[in-house]
Amino acid sequence: MKVLVAVKRVVDANVKVRVKADESDVELSNVKMSINPFCEIAVEAALQLKESGQASEVIAVSVGPDVCQEQLRTALAMGADRAVLIKTGNDLEPLAIAKLLYTVTQREEPGIVLLGKQSIDGDNNQTGQMLSALMGSAQGTFASQINVVGDWVNVIREVDGGLETRSLRLPAVITADLRLNEPRYASLPNIMKAKKKPLEVIDASDLGVDIAPRLKVIKVSAPPERKAGIRVNSVQELVEKLKNEAGVI
Amino acid sequence: MQRESMEFDVVVVGGGPAGLSAAIRLRQLAMVEGRELSVCLVEKGAEVGAHIMSGAVFEPSALNELFPDWRNMGAPLNTPVQSDEIFYLSCSHRSIRVPGVFAPSTMHNNGNYIVSLGNVCRWLGQQAETLGVDVFPGFPASDVLYDEEGRVRGVVTADMGVGRTGEQKGGFTPGIELIGKQTVFAEGCRGHLGKQLISKYSLDAECDPQHYGLGIKEVWEIPAEQHVPGLVIHSTGWPLSESATQGGAFMYHLEDGTVVIGQVVDLNYRNPHLSPFDEFQQLKHHPLYEQYLRGGSRISYGARAIAKGGLQSLPKMHFPGGLLIGCDAGTLNFAKIKGSHTAMKSGLLAADTIYEALAVNQSAGQDLAAYAEKFRASSIYDELYQQRNFGPAMHRFGNLVGAVYSWVDLNLLKGKLPWTFHDKRPDYSTMATADWAPVIHYPKPDNVLSFDKTSSVYLSNTNHEEDQPCHLTLRDSSVPIAFNLPTYAEPAQRYCPAGVYEVVEDASASRFQINAQNCLHCKTCDIKDPSQNIIWRAPEGGGGPNYTSM
């Protein structure tokens, strides 16, 4: 069984993002970029499936400009066998990404497609769900545990207020939540080896998919700055302020 | 521990201007002659450029040598210096402009560029990879490897996944031995391995102690009508003059409405109550700088020590198996307040030396004395010789008389006076005791121009894995409270520009707290602790600031 794992290039989680002066987007020039943390967890999950003998090959795929090869190389250094980049300069919405990934699943016919539950830049939490709809396959989102049993995969999902276990028939789409695993470090020798692993680049325009945007970004703005707190002298004063000034009780 | 090892012809430690130039030049030479030559470069920052902090007005002389075609190759040198202004700040609201003819000739910046050195290094990193250098960001060299004859044979990278008390965590990945016929150390000022090498091989036996400054810098976005692209301002005097501390400040106007402002405090300062961070915050309220910053917003913050001792403090730069280059040795030209071009040039010379030596003799561990000859015959030696008395004259005569002396020395006599000043007193030993020195009361930040340390460190994008051994180690853990506190009011609380060190008053006693995750890797604590009790070591890979466009 092949496992396809999607990785997205996003601003590194340690970087404090800043809105551009013209409010068109956040500033991305000269900012450190990384694999989306949830995608990294998905890669680790795929590698564990291979190491436990349940998967035969792990294929990493990304959609975006040429520089996304850096993130694919990271996935290869972690242990993926090969990588595919669907190259496009366009800023894509989840539906377009799902459609492009769908073309790869048609070609590769993976038993499991792993994705992060959402990316930390767009926070859409849609691509996995849309991909499973396009594939007509089962979906197990927010996975905190994955267990393949024959032609089925049991997924423990993190739902509001607890955990839910579902059995999905393969092929299935699974999106990774935070507690699924802790991704490994890529070691130096593996980074060297990753440079020689196959990385195929496909032009998105050759795939005959409509990736035109459905949405228009009107404005990006920073959240309002938090006001400084004040110190109250007594419980009575606190209650009074919560009631009359803040209006929360 | 049994470690994996990887072999290269040359291992370079540090992805700054010096290390990248050395690595690039080695590959260029090998490619021209079609020779096999493997070069790897390790960098502790999460990416090349993440830990680079400099002014910077950049003199392109060494870049011209490395990539004569850099303009067409897209090097990020976008803002030529248009005008140079020098001021003496006599108090918190007055300034005197120093006419150009009275400025030391080394302070003239015709033909130079205002750059983000971080971005220049990012670009150099890409060129290095294109030329076949194996660049490994996120991998600090944690220790030097020696062979049985005491020659350097490479470095070992830091272990990943070690917990607070030294235990191996789930994802533990041991460091790798990187073996090289030659190892080039280019860690920047006060490199933690460079320091060990200087001591092991007594490289500083015949030179003065190194002298340092602490540079603190911010990047601001300012309103278009206050922005003058290409304007370079330098000043000295207030607020440091109030505590008789030496140093100077700068403001450079870059592209896209951004300016950088910073201040360098000489680390030979005497008053233990001095806080370089608060001095810098005060500086921004001076009308000279306030007129530009008004209505703007601060987007980045950083700090880094610089080695400014010059030629008199320059240690021997070669030893069996390796070379010490750039600010790791101390090649900065203090009279020009520039170190990038000299660091790069020292890297080019290192590459030439190693390439020629390995062409004749492939054996590992050679002591390349030819490097000293090449260095002596080079342009950097000439410029460092010419300005050799600038720093020591300032220490000897103070800022004003020192400046007059330097003007005569540099502008009229071109540094040809037959004598050389020495300054034998290391910076850590200059501190007066706390009861003798006047306490300095700094005004509260107004959160418009001036800010506190916490919000500043936030803008450096600094992050360290929390569960790892503390990378700021104490030789003797009792010294901060038992000696430094009563004698010097524990100055680490104030000289650290990131708020790493705190003295916390618990119910019964004082406790020394190290917030290592805030560390900006500036190395000031390793330099200035009067007891020389703090040892800076490399944390887990990728930790530290993530500077953007610094």
Side-chain angles (χ1 to χ4, degrees):
Chain A
M1 175 179 77
K2 289 184 194 173
V3 176
L4 187 71
V5 56
V7 300
K8 184 174 182 186
R9 175 185 169 91
V10 298
V11 174
D12 188 87
N14 292 320
V15 173
K16 278 73 189 180
V17 292
R18 185 165 60 85
V19 174
K20 279 185 181 173
D22 65 1
E23 299 193 314
S24 61
D25 200 351
V26 295
E27 186 60 71
L28 290 181
S29 56
N30 297 306
V31 169
K32 176 164 164 48
M33 305 294 281
S34 297
I35 291 192
N36 175 44
F38 294 110
C39 300
E40 205 179 359
I41 294 170
V43 173
E44 176 66 36
L47 297 176
Q48 289 180 8
L49 285 173
K50 190 181 170 195
E51 282 160 358
S52 65
Q54 289 165 312
S56 54
E57 189 184 26
V58 174
I59 307 151
V61 56
S62 189
V63 181
D66 258 331
V67 281
C68 296
Q69 290 192 24
E70 287 173 25
Q71 280 61 47
L72 288 172
R73 289 287 171 206
T74 306
L76 292 171
M78 288 172 73
D81 298 290
R82 60 188 170 92
V84 180
L85 172 65
I86 303 173
K87 192 174 141 184
T88 167
N90 300 10
D91 210 3
L92 297 184
E93 289 163 13
L95 179 60
I97 297 172
K99 285 182 187 170
L100 291 169
L101 292 177
Y102 177 48
T103 63
V104 181
T105 62
Q106 286 173 312
R107 194 184 72 171
E108 302 285 351
E109 298 183 334
I112 292 177
V113 184
L114 271 158
L115 303 91
K117 69 165 178 177
Q118 68 192 68
S119 60
I120 60 166
D121 53 359
D123 269 348
N124 286 309
N125 179 0
Q126 295 169 1
T127 306
Q129 291 87 329
M130 288 174 169
L131 176 61
S132 99
L134 291 169
M135 288 170 66
S137 73
Q139 56 173 288
T141 48
F142 312 107
S144 66
Q145 204 177 307
I146 301 171
N147 195 7
V148 180
V149 185
D151 290 341
W152 294 76
V153 56
N154 295 332
V155 176
I156 299 185
R157 304 180 61 227
E158 305 221 352
V159 294
D160 288 348
L163 299 173
E164 178 191 77
T165 307
R166 286 198 180 198
S167 256
L168 316 176
R169 189 193 292 277
L170 298 177
V173 173
I174 300 173
T175 71
D177 211 326
L178 190 63
R179 273 167 286 271
L180 181 56
N181 58 51
E182 214 170 294
R184 66 193 66 189
Y185 299 102
S187 74
L188 267 185
N190 287 342
I191 292 173
M192 289 284 277
K193 281 179 209 148
K195 290 184 180 178
K196 299 195 177 75
K197 287 185 180 174
L199 193 162
E200 179 191 3
V201 179
I202 304 170
D203 210 301
S205 56
D206 294 343
L207 293 172
V209 171
D210 173 17
I211 55 172
R214 267 64 172 167
L215 305 169
K216 200 172 132 194
V217 174
I218 295 167
K219 187 174 143 187
V220 178
S221 52
E225 269 190 53
R226 230 182 107 191
K227 290 196 188 113
I230 55 159
R231 194 176 281 272
V232 295
N233 292 314
S234 66
V235 175
Q236 284 81 0
E237 194 187 339
L238 175 66
V239 172
E240 195 270 330
K241 283 199 186 299
L242 287 176
K243 261 192 184 153
N244 300 328
E245 274 183 36
V248 290
I249 52 173
Chain B
M1 187 191 310
Q2 194 57 42
R3 296 181 182 279
E4 277 188 78
S5 72
M6 287 160 72
E7 285 192 32
F8 298 88
D9 289 310
V10 182
V11 174
V12 180
V13 180
L20 286 164
S21 299
I24 288 170
R25 170 59 72 98
L26 278 165
R27 287 295 307 156
Q28 284 175 337
L29 292 169
M31 284 165 86
V32 166
E33 293 190 6
R35 262 174 51 188
E36 292 279 314
L37 183 88
S38 56
V39 183
C40 102
L41 183 149
V42 285
E43 159 59 38
K44 69 181 162 65
E47 62 171 353
V48 171
H51 287 184
I52 298 294
M53 202 210 94
S54 181
V57 175
F58 184 85
E59 182 178 316
S61 53
L63 183 62
N64 290 338
E65 279 186 56
L66 191 60
F67 290 113
D69 195 29
W70 57 262
R71 280 182 186 82
N72 295 323
M73 295 170 71
L77 278 65
N78 303 323
T79 316
V81 174
Q82 302 289 356
S83 55
D84 245 329
E85 298 178 0
I86 301 182
F87 293 86
Y88 179 75
L89 308 187
S90 52
C91 65
S92 65
H93 54 282
R94 270 190 249 278
S95 58
I96 301 156
R97 172 124 187 229
V98 180
V101 289
F102 289 124
S105 55
T106 51
M107 297 282 284
H108 296 176
N109 282 306
N110 298 339
N112 294 339
Y113 291 80
I114 306 175
V115 301
S116 148
L117 192 65
N119 291 350
V120 171
C121 286
R122 278 184 187 93
W123 183 81
L124 286 172
Q126 288 160 10
Q127 307 309 314
E129 288 207 76
T130 310
L131 289 164
V133 179
D134 285 310
V135 180
F136 296 126
F139 289 91
S142 65
D143 285 295
V144 183
L145 295 167
Y146 300 99
D147 65 14
E148 40 314 333
E149 285 162 56
R151 299 174 299 195
V152 172
R153 64 182 189 96
V155 292
V156 56
T157 63
D159 295 336
M160 309 280 265
V162 179
R164 200 181 304 270
T165 54
E167 80 282 8
Q168 296 182 3
K169 294 188 289 184
F172 175 75
T173 310
I176 304 286
E177 290 189 349
L178 299 172
I179 312 293
K181 293 183 177 119
Q182 286 286 317
T183 306
V184 179
F185 293 86
E187 305 162 281
C189 167
R190 194 78 167 192
H192 77 121
L193 300 181
K195 187 179 152 188
Q196 292 170 27
L197 292 164
I198 289 170
S199 153
K200 179 175 169 80
Y201 297 111
S202 304
L203 301 177
D204 59 352
E206 285 163 26
C207 67
D208 292 352
Q210 187 57 271
H211 296 286
Y212 301 92
L214 169 59
I216 302 179
K217 170 184 156 182
E218 292 175 354
V219 185
W220 283 64
E221 248 172 14
I222 61 168
E225 61 275 16
Q226 288 152 229
H227 189 244
V228 191
L231 173 63
V232 166
I233 298 175
H234 287 107
S235 73
T236 185
W238 188 86
L240 294 170
S241 52
E242 308 242 308
S243 57
T245 301
Q246 296 189 344
F250 60 87
M251 174 184 266
Y252 308 143
H253 289 240
L254 283 116
E255 62 259 30
D256 300 333
T258 56
V259 297
V260 295
I261 179 165
Q263 181 162 266
V264 178
V265 174
D266 197 322
L267 284 180
N268 80 338
Y269 72 82
R270 288 176 55 79
N271 187 336
H273 302 295
L274 184 92
S275 162
F277 173 85
D278 293 291
E279 295 284 330
F280 171 57
Q281 296 304 319
Q282 255 190 295
L283 170 84
K284 290 180 286 175
H285 287 278
H286 195 285
L288 173 66
Y289 294 117
E290 191 263 342
Q291 63 177 321
Y292 297 109
L293 298 177
R294 192 189 310 134
S297 61
R298 188 173 70 141
I299 55 179
S300 199
Y301 170 84
R304 183 73 173 94
I306 61 171
K308 62 177 192 57
L311 207 53
Q312 291 91 318
S313 303
L314 197 65
K316 208 173 117 188
M317 294 162 81
H318 59 90
F319 44 84
L323 297 173
L324 190 67
I325 64 168
C327 286
D328 214 351
T331 55
L332 179 132
N333 181 336
F334 185 49
K336 286 187 179 174
I337 29 178
K338 284 181 195 63
S340 305
H341 68 290
T342 50
M344 289 178 73
K345 179 72 188 177
S346 76
L348 296 179
L349 295 170
D352 292 347
T353 311
I354 292 170
Y355 189 79
E356 286 165 22
L358 292 182
V360 185
N361 179 354
Q362 280 279 317
S363 65
Q366 302 174 62
D367 188 349
L368 302 181
Y371 186 65
E373 291 154 34
K374 275 212 159 53
F375 187 82
R376 213 182 148 109
S378 74
S379 58
I380 1 176
Y381 182 84
D382 292 343
E383 67 175 88
L384 289 179
Y385 182 78
Q386 194 202 20
Q387 67 86 53
R388 72 198 179 284
N389 285 329
F390 182 87
M394 297 287 177
H395 279 188
R396 185 174 282 226
F397 305 127
N399 260 5
L400 277 181
V401 180
V404 173
Y405 175 90
S406 294
W407 182 78
V408 174
D409 182 18
L410 293 171
N411 292 36
L412 302 183
L413 306 169
K414 311 289 177 210
K416 291 199 180 107
L417 289 169
W419 56 76
T420 298
F421 292 150
H422 290 274
D423 182 357
K424 300 274 190 194
R425 208 166 163 197
D427 292 345
Y428 66 82
S429 69
T430 57
M431 222 175 246
T433 53
D435 48 350
W436 278 91
V439 174
I440 305 174
H441 296 285
Y442 292 104
K444 272 200 158 183
D446 68 354
N447 289 319
V448 178
L449 288 171
S450 48
F451 304 90
D452 64 6
K453 277 187 189 173
T454 315
S455 64
S456 302
V457 173
Y458 178 78
L459 290 178
S460 67
N461 298 328
T462 293
N463 185 57
H464 289 87
E465 161 62 44
E466 222 167 296
D467 185 14
Q468 65 169 311
C470 182
H471 74 279
L472 300 154
T473 56
L474 303 175
R475 275 184 218 273
D476 177 345
S477 61
S478 70
V479 165
I481 298 300
F483 178 73
N484 280 358
L485 186 60
T487 319
Y488 303 109
E490 185 45 272
Q493 303 174 79
R494 291 173 296 278
Y495 61 61
C496 174
V500 167
Y501 301 99
E502 284 181 276
V503 174
V504 182
E505 306 290 339
D506 283 350
S508 54
S510 303
R511 186 165 54 81
F512 191 58
Q513 181 170 307
I514 304 179
N515 308 310
Q517 67 277 12
N518 283 359
C519 179
L520 294 172
H521 297 201
C522 78
K523 319 281 174 76
T524 304
C525 50
D526 196 287
I527 295 164
K528 187 61 177 170
D529 177 21
S531 306
Q532 287 291 281
N533 186 48
I534 301 175
I535 314 283
W536 191 98
R537 296 191 55 83
E540 186 171 297
N546 281 290
Y547 293 141
T548 50
S549 304
M550 272 300 231

